[in-house]
């Protein structure tokens, strides 16, 4: 099992859906985040013939254009979480305000940008209480947290993604779902998984402000310019819900939801 299959507790969510008490080795590679290339991190050491389980047909087509094969579209683990927990997917009756996700880095790359400008953008477009959710990488930096705290925002993190099968927070996406349902809006300075997750549970989205830069960002992804070319409708402070929901359904692969039996067969899992 490639270690990225465990990120965000994805393997655990899929195992629960498939009727297993604990995840076992997934026979292949599971896409772990919204991706505008072939579904995987640049440099992923693919083993010839191993399956690639991805979220959407767009990812599959881009992978094929790069001469990669053995793709299976299964949709995002997030849609299986919503199947597992239909009650949690409902918006809380006292939902209010906005949850904002600043663009983030990870162990190997840091984000370069001005968080103060993000605060100014939030104050320009949002009303009501604001929750800023920092990725663990930025949350552990007191100076970054303080920028948002000093602005009067509630500052949280959903947990640690995990790395090489260690310290994986199996509740990461549960934490995210619980937070999303407390809000009416979801926003970010870059289009990403969190925006689509919020839309999928009824939050009105916005993507605006300084997109920041990822240190040594690989040119294969094309940066923000490519995102804006491919999804221009999603880059505005208030994205129309009908448009947002249609794009989200495509990008999360909601129409490709597999049955528990199909997941067990694809992943080579046995009960």
């Amino acid at each position: 099992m490639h270690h990225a299959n465990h990120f965000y507790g994805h393997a655990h969510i899929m195992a629960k859906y498939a009727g297993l008490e604990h995840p076992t080795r997934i026979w292949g590679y599971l896409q772990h985040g919204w991706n505008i290339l072939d579904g995987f991190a640049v440099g992923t050491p693919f083993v010839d013939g191993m399956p690639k389980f991805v979220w959407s047909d767009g990812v599959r087509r881009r992978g094929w254009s790069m001469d990669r094969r053995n793709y299976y579209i299964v949709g995002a683990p997030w849609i299986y979480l919503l199947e597992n927990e239909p009650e949690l997917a409902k918006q809380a009756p006292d939902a209010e305000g906005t949850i904002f996700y600043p663009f983030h880095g990870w162990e190997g790359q840091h984000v370069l940008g001005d968080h103060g400008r993000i605060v100014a953008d939030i104050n320009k477009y949002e009303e009501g209480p604001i929750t800023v959710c920092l990725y663990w990488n930025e949350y552990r930096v007191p100076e970054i947290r303080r920028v948002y705290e000093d602005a009067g925002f509630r500052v949280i993190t959903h947990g640690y993604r995990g790395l090489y099968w260690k310290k994986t927070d199996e509740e990461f996406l549960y934490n995210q779902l619980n937070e999303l349902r407390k809000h009416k809006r979801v926003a970010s300075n870059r289009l990403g998984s969190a925006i689509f997750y919020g839309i999928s549970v009824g939050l009105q989205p916005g993507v605006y402000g300084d997109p920041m830069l990822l240190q040594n960002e690989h040119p294969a992804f094309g940066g923000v310019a490519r995102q804006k070319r491919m999804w221009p409708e999603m880059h505005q402070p208030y994205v129309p819900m009908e448009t947002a929901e249609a794009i989200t359904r495509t990008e999360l692969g909601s129409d490709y939801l597999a049955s528990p039996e199909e997941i067990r067969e694809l992943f080579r899992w046995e009960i």
Side-chain angles (χ1 to χ4, degrees):
M1 174 189 270
H2 192 271
H3 76 103
N5 294 348
H6 263 246
F7 286 179
Y8 308 110
H10 283 169
H12 295 81
I13 290 168
M14 301 304 289
K16 181 175 181 179
Y17 177 80
L20 278 69
E21 187 173 352
H22 300 289
T24 56
R25 184 181 301 271
I26 295 175
W27 187 255
Y29 303 84
L30 178 62
Q31 180 180 337
H32 72 263
W34 183 68
N35 186 288
I36 66 172
L37 197 60
D38 66 339
F40 302 94
V42 174
T44 298
F46 294 118
V47 175
D48 288 344
M50 292 290 281
K52 302 173 183 66
F53 302 111
V54 296
W55 295 10
S56 68
D57 188 55
V59 167
R60 180 198 64 80
R61 287 186 282 109
R62 292 193 293 271
W64 271 62
S65 74
M66 299 167 69
D67 201 29
R68 292 181 176 156
R69 298 295 183 265
N70 302 307
Y71 274 85
Y72 296 84
I73 309 168
V74 297
W78 179 264
I79 66 175
Y80 293 89
L81 170 62
L82 300 185
E83 288 291 312
N84 289 344
E85 309 291 349
E87 288 302 311
L88 279 182
K90 298 177 181 178
Q91 191 174 65
D94 57 348
E96 60 178 349
T98 300
I99 182 166
F100 192 98
Y101 289 88
F103 181 56
H104 64 80
W106 62 290
E107 290 94 341
Q109 292 172 294
H110 297 286
V111 165
L112 308 175
D114 184 353
H115 288 274
R117 290 179 62 187
I118 298 299
V119 168
D121 291 331
I122 293 172
N123 285 329
K124 180 178 179 180
Y125 293 112
E126 305 299 339
E127 296 181 357
I130 305 296
T131 297
V132 170
C133 183
L134 295 173
Y135 200 55
W136 66 269
N137 201 53
E138 285 74 35
Y139 187 80
R140 64 182 181 177
V141 181
E143 293 79 9
I144 295 178
R145 294 201 309 270
R146 195 172 302 121
V147 172
Y148 296 104
E149 291 168 347
D150 288 349
F153 302 157
R154 173 174 171 253
V155 181
I156 64 168
T157 189
H158 292 322
Y160 182 55
R161 176 200 66 190
L163 186 70
Y164 296 116
W165 304 280
K166 296 178 180 179
K167 299 182 179 180
T168 300
D169 189 340
E170 300 171 20
E171 299 296 313
F172 188 103
L173 291 187
Y174 283 87
N175 297 338
Q176 186 162 15
L177 180 55
N178 276 312
E179 285 294 336
L180 285 169
R181 65 193 297 270
K182 296 176 185 176
H183 299 82
K184 290 188 174 180
R185 286 251 304 158
V186 60
S188 179
N189 54 327
R190 278 213 198 190
L191 191 59
S193 302
I195 291 291
F196 293 120
Y197 293 167
I199 296 166
S200 74
V201 292
L203 277 68
Q204 203 280 323
V207 179
Y208 58 80
D210 177 10
M212 297 186 170
L213 297 174
L214 185 62
Q215 187 180 44
N216 299 320
E217 188 167 10
H218 199 286
F221 288 103
V224 174
R226 185 180 181 193
Q227 290 190 14
K228 289 183 176 180
R229 287 197 305 272
M230 295 179 70
W231 296 278
E233 313 95 321
M234 295 297 295
H235 289 84
Q236 53 183 315
Y238 290 88
V239 183
M241 279 304 294
E242 185 176 357
T243 298
E245 288 170 346
I247 293 174
T248 294
R249 190 167 188 86
T250 296
E251 294 305 311
L252 295 185
S254 300
D255 294 333
Y256 292 93
L257 182 79
S259 69
E261 294 78 14
E262 288 170 328
I263 291 297
R264 291 198 297 268
E265 181 177 353
L266 287 168
F267 290 2
R268 298 195 183 184
W269 281 349
E270 295 181 1
I271 295 182

